[in-house]
Amino acid sequence: HIKLYSEEGLGTTVKIFLPRSHDVADAKPVEVSAVPVGRSETILVVEDDDTVRRYVVAQLASLGYSALSASNGGEALAIVDKGTPFDLLFTDVVMPGGMNGRQLADEVARRRPGTRTLFTSGYTENAIVHHGRLDEGVTILNKPYRKGELAQKIRACLEAPGG
C-alpha cells in the first residue's frame, strides 16, 4: 500500500510498502565499467550557478582535465577572445544575461570554427529542443548527472569525429 502525507509549505512524503519477498536473488558479479579519464584536455565550463560550476570544475580536475570557468556567455566570450586554448565548451543551456547556451555555442563556433560543445540543462526552454526532438548535431547531458555520466559524455564529445 501507499501512504501520502502533505503539508502546505513543507512538502509531501510518499511511503510505498511492498510485500516481502522470500526469493533469493541470483548472486551475479556486477561489472564495473571504468570511468573515462582526461588526457590533459581543457574544458571551458559555462554555468551561472556558482555551486554547480565549482562542482563541475572539481569533478573535471579529478578526471584529469583542466578547466576554465565562466558564469555567463559574456565571460566565456572574453576567454575565447583572449585566445586561451580549450578543447571543449561545456555550457548550461539556460542562463541569465541575454545569451543562452545555444547562442553562446554559435558565437564560439563563429569565432573558433570546429569547437566541440556539450550542453547541459535541467530544462531546455526550446533553445536546443524543438517539438520534443534534440537539434541535429547537439549533445546534451541532462541535470542532475553523476560523475561517471559526466566523464562518459565529455570523453565521447572529445573523441567524436569532426570538430
Side-chain angles (χ1 to χ4, degrees):
H1 67 276
I2 298 173
K3 286 187 179 181
L4 296 171
Y5 177 78
S6 186
E7 196 169 324
E8 190 173 330
L10 294 177
T12 302
T13 301
V14 179
K15 292 182 179 181
I16 301 174
F17 297 88
L18 301 172
R20 177 172 292 184
S21 174
H22 297 289
D23 293 337
V24 177
D26 290 336
K28 296 178 184 173
V30 177
E31 284 188 36
V32 178
S33 60
V35 173
V37 294
R39 300 179 187 135
S40 302
E41 295 98 340
T42 300
I43 314 299
L44 173 54
V45 177
V46 187
E47 168 63 59
D48 60 292
D49 184 301
D50 292 337
T51 303
V52 173
R53 190 174 58 254
R54 283 192 303 269
Y55 167 80
V56 171
V57 168
Q59 293 304 312
L60 289 172
S62 75
L63 291 166
Y65 297 100
S66 296
L68 305 167
S69 68
S71 63
N72 58 53
E75 286 181 18
L77 290 177
I79 291 170
V80 171
D81 290 342
K82 276 197 308 190
T84 307
F86 61 93
D87 302 288
L88 178 70
L89 172 64
F90 181 56
T91 183
D92 195 2
V93 174
V94 180
M95 295 183 292
M99 181 181 288
N100 66 35
R102 182 59 196 227
Q103 293 164 327
L104 172 62
D106 290 344
E107 190 58 31
V108 170
R110 189 180 71 72
R111 296 174 187 198
R112 289 195 192 177
T115 299
R116 297 168 189 268
T117 301
L118 173 59
F119 294 98
T120 185
S121 187
Y123 55 97
T124 59
E125 208 175 70
N126 294 328
I128 60 173
V129 175
H130 297 92
H131 307 293
R133 297 191 59 159
L134 205 55
D135 288 349
E136 188 173 336
V138 170
T139 306
I140 189 165
L141 177 60
N142 291 310
K143 293 178 184 177
Y145 49 82
R146 292 189 165 100
K147 181 179 179 179
E149 295 167 317
L150 173 67
Q152 289 173 346
K153 282 285 190 172
I154 293 282
R155 193 77 253 146
C157 285
L158 290 168
E159 293 178 355

